Amino acid sequence: MGTVTTTGAYGPWGIVAGGSDGVGVAFAHGMAARGINVVLVARRVPVLESAAAEIRARHGVEVRTVALDLGAPDALAELAGATAELEIGLFVYNAGADVRSVAFLDRDLDTHLSLVQRNCAAVLEAAHRFGAPMVARGRGGLVLVTSGAAWAGGATLATYGATKAFDLILAESLWAEWRGSGVDVLGLVLGRTDTPSHRRLLDAEGTASAGGQVYEGLADPTDIAEEALAHLADGPTWIHGSENPTGGSPFGALNRRDSVLAMSRGAAGSS
């Protein structure tokens, strides 16, 4: 099982959507360490350029940056245009975190729709625009980063969980379609992870460790990226931190109602 990510296996260039910090930049470092040139995509230009400079200095690969809001309807068309001359062999879609869990009606409709655009429509468009050339070439890799919120519905997780379930099913379906084509597809399921956005959430809610100590119980982004890159060929699904990472829902034999109630308790306990 598993594969070593190389330019021979996937191609000379990779894209990380949501690649300026956290899990995204960890993927970019992992790809660059394996000799893959990287395109970093994110909204915040200073953070994006800082990440790019560090990757160039550490790994000696080419790094390009594309400043985009992936929630904009034309974002993926713009990204495709900006990278048209590159052979993109590996695409990691990592954008779409929800930094605050709130009741469905306590968030305005435009915010919900923006999350659906970023986590569903843009992901689908990325898979279609960048996956088609991979399938035609007979090599490539696609990683869709999803969440444990995809396993069942839960209070305060309505739109976020629904979008992440979309990503999970999309990844598994594309794996089933492309598994004989030379293109690896992985739906990467994450739990609570030590990212800047998650730390900001914990700090805002007063639940972080006092005095800037280690944020206990949060997965390390580098560990996540390295594990995913090592197991890109072991799709359709990889559950980071699970004793059975290729297994099913952690809710196991629970019926749907009890799973939803358990997810709701978990959301309440983490907020």
Side-chain angles (χ1 to χ4, degrees), residues 8-20:
Y10 294 106
W13 282 89
I15 292 177
V16 182
S20 59

Side-chain angles (χ1 to χ4, degrees), residues 101-109 112 155-160:
S101 294
V102 298
F104 181 74
L105 294 178
D106 289 343
R107 180 169 282 170
D108 64 78
L109 180 58
H112 285 296
T156 75
L157 295 171
T159 304
Y160 178 70

Side-chain angles (χ1 to χ4, degrees), residues 174-241:
L174 294 178
W175 174 87
E177 291 191 20
W178 297 350
R179 58 192 300 246
S181 70
V183 178
D184 295 325
V185 182
L186 191 69
L188 177 62
V189 183
L190 303 185
R192 298 171 69 245
T193 303
D194 190 2
T195 63
S197 61
H198 201 138
R199 287 195 175 209
R200 286 192 294 269
L201 172 63
L202 294 178
D203 291 341
E205 294 174 341
T207 54
S209 300
Q213 298 174 9
V214 175
Y215 289 65
E216 296 180 358
L218 302 181
D220 180 77
T222 298
D223 291 345
I224 290 170
E226 287 299 310
E227 188 174 283
L229 289 170
H231 292 279
L232 239 171
D234 298 331
T237 311
W238 190 269
I239 309 165
H240 181 77

Side-chain angles (χ1 to χ4, degrees), residues 64-88:
R64 296 191 186 183
T65 60
V66 181
L68 283 176
D69 177 2
L70 291 163
D74 60 350
L76 267 298
E78 187 172 339
L79 178 59
T83 58
E85 83 282 12
L86 305 179
E87 181 184 326
I88 305 299

Side-chain angles (χ1 to χ4, degrees), residues 35-153:
I36 298 175
N37 302 308
V38 184
V39 179
L40 299 178
V41 184
R43 286 180 294 180
R44 296 172 297 160
V45 173
V47 181
L48 198 60
E49 295 299 341
S50 176
E54 183 180 354
I55 293 167
R56 290 188 194 102
R58 186 181 300 182
H59 304 290
V61 300
E62 291 186 63
V63 184
R64 296 191 186 183
T65 60
V66 181
L68 283 176
D69 177 2
L70 291 163
D74 60 350
L76 267 298
E78 187 172 339
L79 178 59
T83 58
E85 83 282 12
L86 305 179
E87 181 184 326
I88 305 299
L90 182 56
F91 194 111
V92 177
Y93 197 105
N94 174 64
D98 190 6
V99 298
R100 196 164 62 99
S101 294
V102 298
F104 181 74
L105 294 178
D106 289 343
R107 180 169 282 170
D108 64 78
L109 180 58
D110 286 345
T111 301
H112 285 296
L113 293 175
S114 177
L115 191 60
V116 171
Q117 173 65 34
R118 188 167 60 250
N119 280 11
C120 297
V123 179
L124 187 152
E125 188 174 349
H128 199 280
R129 285 184 180 275
F130 293 93
M134 295 180 194
V135 171
R137 286 193 298 266
R139 69 172 185 172
L142 175 67
V143 179
L144 303 184
V145 179
T146 180
S147 163
W151 296 127

